[in-house]
Amino acid sequence: MSPPTQELEALRLENERLKSALVAADQRRALLDHIGAHLQQTLQLDDLIPCLFAEVNAALQAEAQSLWLADHLHRRITCRFATGPGAAQVQGLSLPLDEGIVGATITRQQSLLITDAQLDDRHSRLADSVTGRVTHSLLSVPLVRGGVAIGAMQAINKAESRPFEHADLELFRAIADVAALTLENALLYTQLEVSYNATLEALSTALDQRDQDTEGHSQRVAAYTVRLGQEIGLPIEELRFLRRAALLHDIGKIGIPDAILNKPGPLTPDERKVMQRHPRLGFEMLQGIAHLSRERDIVLTHQERWDGNGYPMRLSGEDIPLAARLFALVDTFDAIRSDRPYRKGRDYATAAHIIAEESGKQFEPRLVEAFLRVPEAEWAVIQASLATEATSTIMAEPLPLKKAA
C-alpha cells in the first residue's frame, strides 16, 4: 500500500530541510576556512581587523560592527575598531569592564542575541548617543583564549530591518572562535613590537648623546624619512621599516673614536677615512640579527649618492635601496638645518635650495620633487614636536587605524 499523500509531502519537506541544512553547514565551513586563511596572512591589527570585519559583514549583513578589547588590569573595555554609521565616534570609546551588553559578554563569556536592545536594561546608550544610531537587533560574542575573554565582537542591526536569528549567532560565535587565536597573537606581537621599538629608540638616543653635535638627530631624520615616505605613497609596513632603519643608521659610529666623532672642526682627510668606515661597521654589528636584515642594508648604503660618488660601495641610481635614497635626502636636510660648533644651522630656504641643486647628483630627482612638495610648515612642526619630546610614538603606530565609514 502506498503511503498517504500527506506523509509523502511531509517526507519531501523534511528532505528539503535536511538538504538546506547541509548546504548551509557546508557554506559555513567554507566561510570559516576562508576567514581563517585571511587571518593567517598578517599579525598587524590595523590590517587584521578590517579584513575580519569585511568577511563578517558579507556573512551577517549588519548595519554596523565593532570589536572591543578588554583591559582586565584597569577593568576597562575599549572599542578598537568599528564600521557603519558613526564609526569614527565609536572607535576609541572606553567603558568600565562591567558596563553594557559588551561588558556582560566579556565578564560572563556569554554569547548574546538581543532582539531589541532598547528594551534591555544592560544596553549602554552611550554609543547610540554619539552615533545617532538606534540599536535594535544585536549580536555580541566573546573572544576567549585560555579561559580568558580578551574582548568581544558585536554586530548591530541586520540589513533591511530584519532581526538576527539564532543561526546568525552561531555563525558569529564560530567566527569569533577562529579570530580569537589570531587576535591574541596579534596583540602579543604588538606588545613585543612596542617593547622592541622602545629599545631601538633608547639605543638611537644613546648614540646621539655620544655624538655631541647631533643630539636628537636620529629621532628627527626618522620622522622626516617617514614623512617623505608618506609623500611618495609607501604603505604602513614600509613606513615602520623606514623608521627602524633611520633610528639605526649611525650605529656604526660606536666604533669611531671620540676624538674624531666629537672633533669641533672639519675632519682631516685621514680622519674622514676613519669616519667613512661607520656604514660598514654598523652593517657588521647587525649581522646575525635576522629581524633587522633589511635595516642592515640601509645602514650600509645610507651614504651612497645617486650619481655614484658616495661610499662605501659607490652604488648609483636604483642600485641604491629606496629607503637609503630617501634617508640620504632628509639626513642632509637635518644636517644643514642643525647647529654645529663651527657654524650655525641654516634656514629652510637655504636647505631647500641646496637639495634642489643636488637633484640628479646626490639625490634622486623624484625624491627631491617629493621633498619640495611638502610645505615648509610641516617640516617645522616635526622638528618642533621632537624638540619637546624624548621619544616619538610614530614607531608603534605610524598611522592611526583608519576610522571606517
Side-chain angles (χ1 to χ4, degrees), residues 43 45 48 145-146 150 179-189:
L43 285 176
L45 284 173
L48 177 66
R145 286 296 303 158
I150 62 174
L181 173 61
T182 305
L183 283 169
E184 181 187 45
N185 288 339
L187 288 168
L188 291 172
Y189 176 83

Side-chain angles (χ1 to χ4, degrees), residues 12-334:
R12 185 186 66 80
L13 290 175
E14 178 64 11
N15 286 338
E16 287 184 357
R17 186 190 68 79
L18 291 173
K19 181 179 179 180
S20 297
L22 287 172
V23 170
D26 187 61
Q27 290 175 339
R28 170 177 160 174
R29 180 196 57 75
L31 175 62
L32 293 175
D33 288 346
H34 181 64
I35 291 174
H38 268 292
L39 296 184
Q40 291 175 16
Q41 293 176 5
T42 180
L43 285 176
Q44 293 293 341
L45 284 173
D46 293 2
D47 301 324
L48 177 66
I49 299 175
C51 173
L52 170 63
F53 272 32
E55 300 289 351
V56 170
N57 194 50
L60 298 179
Q61 299 179 336
E63 177 185 293
Q65 303 168 83
S66 58
L67 184 143
W68 299 73
L69 295 179
D71 180 349
H72 291 280
L73 177 63
H74 300 98
R75 296 196 60 77
R76 303 289 297 180
I77 44 177
T78 302
C79 181
R80 184 65 175 81
F81 188 78
T83 67
Q89 286 72 43
V90 176
Q91 194 163 300
L93 194 64
S94 180
L95 301 171
L97 184 60
D98 57 357
E99 184 172 314
I101 293 173
V102 66
T105 298
I106 292 172
T107 56
R108 299 177 186 175
Q109 298 186 19
Q110 182 180 14
S111 298
L112 299 172
L113 190 164
I114 310 297
T115 302
D116 191 344
Q118 299 303 311
L119 304 178
D120 194 305
D121 292 338
R122 296 168 298 182
H123 177 51
S124 172
R125 286 165 173 75
L126 181 57
D128 284 1
S129 67
V130 300
T131 63
R133 178 187 64 231
V134 178
T135 300
H136 289 293
S137 187
L138 170 67
L139 298 177
S140 188
V141 296
L143 297 160
V144 180
R145 286 296 303 158
V148 177
I150 62 174
M153 294 195 303
Q154 292 193 322
I156 300 167
N157 294 345
K158 193 161 185 175
E160 300 177 359
S161 300
R162 293 173 293 159
F164 287 113
E165 300 174 352
H166 186 71
D168 294 321
L169 180 63
E170 289 298 313
L171 176 58
F172 202 27
R173 185 158 49 199
I175 292 171
D177 290 342
V178 171
L181 173 61
T182 305
L183 283 169
E184 181 187 45
N185 288 339
L187 288 168
L188 291 172
Y189 176 83
T190 298
Q191 292 168 5
L192 180 62
E193 187 176 37
V194 168
S195 176
Y196 175 73
N197 293 336
T199 301
L200 292 186
E201 296 272 1
L203 176 60
S204 69
T205 299
L207 287 170
D208 284 351
Q209 289 175 346
R210 178 170 178 254
D211 187 345
Q212 298 168 4
D213 293 344
T214 61
E215 187 169 354
H217 168 70
S218 294
Q219 296 288 338
R220 290 192 301 274
V221 296
Y224 293 157
T225 306
V226 168
R227 179 62 188 90
L228 189 54
Q230 289 173 325
E231 187 64 24
I232 65 171
L234 294 184
I236 289 177
E237 276 305 304
E238 284 300 297
L239 298 181
R240 290 192 178 102
F241 156 66
L242 280 177
R243 182 162 178 81
R244 286 194 299 268
L247 287 172
L248 289 169
H249 76 280
D250 272 343
I251 191 171
K253 287 185 177 179
I254 289 175
I256 303 301
D258 285 345
I260 294 176
L261 192 64
N262 294 318
K263 185 176 180 179
L267 300 178
T268 67
D270 286 343
E271 290 170 337
R272 186 164 297 280
K273 287 180 181 179
V274 174
M275 180 66 82
Q276 289 180 351
R277 292 171 48 206
H278 81 270
R280 285 198 182 277
L281 288 174
F283 179 82
E284 291 166 4
M285 288 176 187
L286 297 178
Q287 280 186 327
I289 306 177
H291 188 64
L292 294 175
S293 59
R294 291 185 66 204
E295 289 83 353
R296 185 173 67 241
D297 291 339
I298 308 312
V299 169
L300 178 63
T301 58
H302 74 274
Q303 293 289 351
E304 301 289 355
R305 292 172 50 108
W306 182 255
D307 60 11
N309 290 319
Y311 64 89
M313 297 182 292
R314 298 184 66 84
L315 299 178
S316 64
E318 294 187 359
D319 288 340
I320 306 168
L322 174 60
R325 305 195 309 261
L326 285 161
F327 175 81
L329 192 153
V330 298
D331 187 39
T332 298
F333 174 65
D334 187 67

